[in-house]
Amino acid sequence: MLLQHILQLTNYKKVTFLNTKGLETVYFRAFLYHIMKNTSFLLLLLWGSTIYSQTFSEVSISSGIDHIFEQFANMGGGGVFFDYDNDGWEDLYLTSGKGKDHLYKNLGNGSFSLITDGWLSITAEYYTVGVVSGDVNNDGYRDLYITTWRGEDNAGDLERNLLFINNGDGTFSEKGIEYGLSIASFSMGASMLDYNNDGFLDIYTVNYVESSAFLYDDDGAINGFDHDCYENQFYKNNGDGTFSEISTTLGLTNNGCALAVMPTDFDQDNDADLYIANDFGEFIVPNTILQNNFPSSPFTDVSVETNMDVAVYGMGIASADFDKDSDFDYYVTNIGSNVLIQNDGNQNFTDIAVQAGVENTYSEGSTSLLTTSWGTAFLDVNNDTWPDLFVANGRIPTLDFIATGEDDPNKLFINNGDLTFTDISASAGINDLNRGRGMLYCDYDKDGDLDVLVVVQDSSEGVNAKTTLYQNQLNPNGNDAKNWVQIFLKGTTINKDALGAKIELTVNGEKLLQEVYGQGSHASQSSLVAHFGLADNTTISQLKVIWSSTDTQIFTDLVVNKRYELTQGSTLRSEENEFMDLSMYPNPVKSELHFKGIHVPLQVKIYSIQGKLLEIVFVDQTKTAINLEPYKPGVYILQVFNDGNQLLKSEFLLKE
């Protein structure tokens, strides 16, 4: 093992090295010198002792993420966690506004490597805003849909949105025109969903202001808005590599200036409804819920009768069964008090944000100021079974009648389990004052707790303002007393990403419910791996997966603290390594690298230290070695997969 070699090479300089199994103390000198001299690799070093309380550590730069959203007019900034190369580790795509977007490969050791392939250069020609990911062509690889505003100069004509098709070799090809996604607009949020359950992902795009107008009081001061808004677009996936725009046919008219959209089964009839967050809701069009009636009729606007028509400056949406009553509740971010609308189970919603303590108030001294909230999500950060709430805040310059403050920190509200929340932002270490926009989460280091990323704009006041990755320190060594389980679904008769499926756990007599989407947060999409905190429960009595109205699977007596993978119609499989005796030697290597413990044919991927795929080779019981003689001296990354494309090993390799 490479760490053992490091110990042999060195005998001083004590540091803490973050690997996939947690924090490990090593002594090193020569290894770091070699890397710093011969590569641009950034090794993650965390000085000091391990933190075990409910806190987060800001690790963006140390983990290799160096990004900021280059804004124009304070709009946009999103990201998505997704596994673009199917190696079992979730990677990260970030939009960059006026600059080139960033794709970071997860190296599986707590760090990321920036991908610099030429296809990304296309994004520099557009003002990119948000991003959503899904497998639109059902080839087993997740694609990217990027919302845009204008061209590179930010002063020209509106631009179409971008569709990057995953080629399956680590690269993407932009095929928006070829696929029929050609309408230019001021696009903000987008969602992928399968509205008609035909197994193909459709795309709904929400659009913003077309022309500006204002309302005035008797003294001539502006006191409201009367903007015209671009129509939203619904692209139906035809299943043949093309889309058709059919929003009018489906009754998906919306005259609001929308910033975010969330697919969600709010009425629990196993199809995808759409909840839209509209800006200027008090003056133009409030938030809108569109009920999916497929196949009997088009979508129906039921906003008024459900009380989901909250009239706010809608920015982002979060969904969860936060009160554990087996239905979905929603949180809407705003300039001002945010909204928590609780579902009473009869398609009627009530705003309880004030009672719950999540209105997201803010004050400077004795002066009360309005917050400006954007990305948001429910997630169980402390693994106690109750969904908590994260809110990314970031001021925008506003008119005089909207009194916002400059110092507007992010918020983390812990769910108390009694319909109230407690603000622990300061003690958790997430309350920075940068201008946050998109917010997304993922257990990127696979340590059994959820980490959070906030996309930051370049207008932030902080001297070193950057997009921020907050590493959850709840469970750094995988041995915290609070248990957890993760479920990753793959569809067959439904769409490949299982978007729209619901997962229900029964734990100690309680039901924990989630739906698979990860969307709604401003311009962003979180991980599709469902994470459930389990507190001190050691068994899961039942796992119920509702794929569709006609397909449900049930499993009993699951072991905790595991990530499970389930392909529709198949048996439940643990991601736990079944090849414990598999090893590679020698390391460092001069010529041949040998493999021991091969039971099935294996695929070996060799990457540069920057994350570029160099070669794919195969080994089996008859061919147990690969020739590395042609490779230059340096550090490489080797990943080994079985015939089911399951990642078995990921190691650094030193070539002498």
Side-chain angles (χ1 to χ4, degrees):
M1 186 175 177
L2 189 54
L3 289 180
Q4 294 173 331
H5 180 66
I6 295 171
L7 291 170
Q8 295 170 358
L9 289 176
T10 67
N11 59 10
Y12 71 95
K13 191 59 178 175
K14 189 176 183 180
V15 302
T16 305
F17 182 85
L18 182 64
N19 63 20
T20 58
K21 297 183 183 298
L23 295 171
E24 181 175 345
T25 300
V26 301
Y27 292 86
F28 87 9
R29 179 183 60 185
F31 183 68
L32 179 59
Y33 174 79
H34 179 88
I35 290 178
M36 298 302 290
K37 181 179 179 183
N38 296 287
T39 75
S40 61
F41 176 67
L42 179 61
L43 190 65
L44 176 55
L45 300 176
L46 301 177
W47 300 89
S49 59
T50 304
I51 302 173
Y52 289 94
S53 61
Q54 183 53 62
T55 59
F56 290 78
S57 293
E58 201 287 297
V59 297
S60 52
I61 297 299
S62 59
S63 64
I65 297 172
D66 187 2
H67 171 271
I68 196 161
F69 186 87
E70 300 177 39
Q71 64 89 25
F72 178 77
N74 292 281
M75 304 300 296
V80 58
F81 281 113
F82 75 127
D83 184 4
Y84 80 91
D85 52 2
N86 288 348
D87 68 351
W89 294 89
E90 292 190 80
D91 312 297
L92 175 64
Y93 188 96
L94 299 170
T95 63
S96 297
K98 295 186 293 183
K100 184 173 72 172
D101 290 356
H102 288 196
L103 174 63
Y104 291 96
K105 176 179 170 58
N106 190 336
L107 299 179
N109 64 351
S111 63
F112 294 82
S113 178
L114 179 65
I115 301 300
T116 58
D117 293 349
W119 63 269
L120 280 160
S121 300
I122 301 171
T123 62
E125 302 172 9
Y126 299 80
Y127 183 94
T128 58
V129 178
V131 57
V132 65
S133 176
D135 185 2
V136 300
N137 58 0
N138 283 350
D139 66 348
Y141 290 90
R142 287 178 67 178
D143 312 299
L144 294 165
Y145 182 69
I146 314 295
T147 58
T148 73
W149 183 9
R150 295 171 173 166
E152 186 179 10
D153 62 0
N154 303 302
D157 296 333
L158 295 173
E159 295 286 352
R160 65 177 178 87
N161 297 323
L162 305 173
L163 178 65
F164 285 103
I165 296 297
N166 193 329
N167 298 318
D169 60 359
T171 67
F172 292 74
S173 298
E174 205 289 305
K175 296 187 177 181
I177 296 294
E178 181 179 331
Y179 275 62
L181 307 174
S182 59
I183 300 175
S185 192
F186 187 174
S187 298
M188 297 299 298
S191 64
M192 289 189 180
L193 66 154
D194 183 6
Y195 87 99
N196 58 358
N197 294 323
D198 66 351
F200 293 95
L201 289 177
D202 314 296
I203 301 174
Y204 188 68
T205 305
V206 295
N207 299 313
Y208 200 54
V209 175
E210 181 175 8
S211 60
S212 299
F214 300 96
L215 303 174
Y216 299 87
D217 62 21
D218 293 340
D219 297 324
I222 297 175
N223 65 357
F225 305 90
D226 192 24
H227 302 332
D228 291 325
C229 316
Y230 287 102
E231 294 183 359
N232 300 334
Q233 299 140 7
F234 189 94
Y235 292 105
K236 178 184 180 297
N237 191 332
N238 299 317
D240 59 359
T242 66
F243 288 80
S244 299
E245 208 290 311
I246 60 168
S247 56
T248 301
T249 303
L250 293 181
L252 290 168
T253 56
N254 178 63
N255 297 318
C257 296
L259 286 173
V261 57
M262 169 173 281
T264 178
D265 186 16
F266 89 100
D267 54 4
Q268 300 280 55
D269 64 350
N270 297 313
D271 59 25
D273 312 299
L274 288 165
Y275 193 35
I276 302 168
N278 288 320
D279 203 357
F280 318 111
E282 180 183 352
F283 308 99
I284 304 176
V285 177
N287 283 8
T288 303
I289 182 72
L290 299 169
Q291 187 175 41
N292 189 347
N293 304 306
F294 184 85
S296 61
S297 64
F299 286 78
T300 303
D301 187 341
V302 294
S303 311
V304 174
E305 51 262 53
T306 59
N307 294 320
M308 298 182 76
D309 60 334
V310 291
V312 296
Y313 301 93
M315 307 288 201
I317 309 168
S319 170
D321 181 18
F322 88 92
D323 51 6
K324 296 186 187 176
D325 63 352
S326 297
D327 54 36
F328 296 115
D329 315 288
Y330 302 93
Y331 187 79
V332 182
T333 55
N334 178 34
I335 302 177
S337 297
N338 296 337
V339 177
L340 174 60
I341 47 175
Q342 184 185 30
N343 191 341
D344 69 0
N346 296 305
Q347 299 182 29
N348 181 74
F349 292 79
T350 303
D351 181 10
I352 64 166
V354 175
Q355 305 94 296
V358 293
E359 67 274 28
N360 197 31
T361 56
Y362 167 67
S363 62
E364 289 182 350
S366 60
T367 303
S368 294
L369 298 170
L370 300 180
T371 60
T372 307
S373 302
W374 299 85
T376 184
F378 285 103
L379 66 162
D380 187 359
V381 298
N382 57 3
N383 284 348
D384 68 348
T385 75
W386 293 93
D388 310 302
L389 181 62
F390 193 105
V391 184
N393 291 326
R395 181 181 179 268
I396 58 172
T398 57
L399 298 168
D400 292 341
F401 76 95
I402 308 174
T404 60
E406 186 63 51
D407 296 336
D408 196 357
N410 299 326
K411 291 292 184 69
L412 176 59
F413 299 100
I414 295 296
N415 191 336
N416 299 318
D418 59 0
L419 301 184
T420 69
F421 292 74
T422 298
D423 181 359
I424 68 162
S425 311
S427 62
I430 59 91
N431 60 332
D432 70 70
L433 303 180
N434 293 318
R435 293 185 179 178
R437 290 299 185 263
M439 174 262 158
L440 51 156
Y441 64 83
C442 174
D443 183 11
Y444 79 92
D445 50 7
K446 290 188 179 181
D447 65 351
D449 55 36
L450 291 175
D451 313 294
V452 173
L453 184 135
V454 177
V455 182
V456 171
Q457 290 194 341
D458 60 2
S459 57
S460 297
E461 295 298 310
V463 176
N464 297 311
K466 297 288 185 182
T467 290
T468 305
L469 176 62
Y470 294 108
Q471 185 188 48
N472 195 336
Q473 298 298 310
L474 174 69
N475 201 23
N477 287 323
N479 58 3
D480 190 89
K482 293 180 180 178
N483 298 315
W484 53 274
V485 71
Q486 295 172 355
I487 311 294
F488 180 44
L489 301 181
K490 295 182 178 180
T492 53
T493 62
I494 69 168
N495 62 89
K496 295 289 187 181
D497 300 304
L499 296 182
K502 291 190 283 287
I503 302 172
E504 181 187 273
L505 297 186
T506 303
V507 181
N508 195 27
E510 286 190 320
K511 293 187 184 300
L512 310 179
L513 179 67
Q514 290 187 32
E515 58 183 344
V516 180
Y517 277 118
Q519 303 170 33
S521 178
H522 182 76
S524 299
Q525 181 182 15
S526 293
S527 169
L528 298 184
V529 179
H531 176 98
F532 294 86
L534 301 175
D536 59 354
N537 296 293
T538 57
T539 59
I540 301 166
S541 55
Q542 180 175 283
L543 162 65
K544 182 179 182 181
V545 178
I546 305 169
W547 299 98
S548 68
S549 59
T550 59
D551 189 1
T552 297
Q553 288 184 267
I554 294 176
F555 303 88
T556 58
D557 300 325
L558 272 68
V559 178
V560 303
N561 299 334
K562 290 181 181 290
R563 177 178 292 197
Y564 291 93
E565 181 179 295
L566 177 63
T567 299
Q568 185 181 8
S570 301
T571 58
L572 194 65
R573 182 173 67 85
S574 171
E575 195 182 65
E576 187 177 44
N577 194 345
E578 301 174 357
F579 298 79
M580 299 299 293
D581 58 341
L582 177 65
S583 61
M584 300 176 283
Y585 66 94
N587 190 6
V589 62
K590 291 184 178 180
S591 57
E592 283 196 338
L593 180 69
H594 295 266
F595 292 79
K596 182 180 178 181
I598 298 177
H599 306 293
V600 298
L602 303 176
Q603 181 184 94
V604 182
K605 294 183 180 180
I606 305 172
Y607 295 89
S608 71
I609 200 65
Q610 291 82 16
K612 181 178 178 63
L613 179 62
L614 303 176
E615 187 180 5
I616 300 177
V617 295
F618 296 89
V619 294
D620 55 28
Q621 291 171 302
T622 61
K623 181 189 176 184
T624 60
I626 59 177
N627 181 25
L628 297 178
E629 184 74 32
Y631 283 79
K632 297 179 180 179
V635 180
Y636 298 87
I637 303 168
L638 265 68
Q639 294 188 332
V640 184
F641 300 80
N642 64 8
D643 53 0
N645 206 31
Q646 177 190 6
L647 178 65
L648 306 178
K649 278 191 176 295
S650 182
E651 288 193 11
F652 290 114
L653 181 70
L654 183 60
K655 172 66 169 60
E656 294 183 332

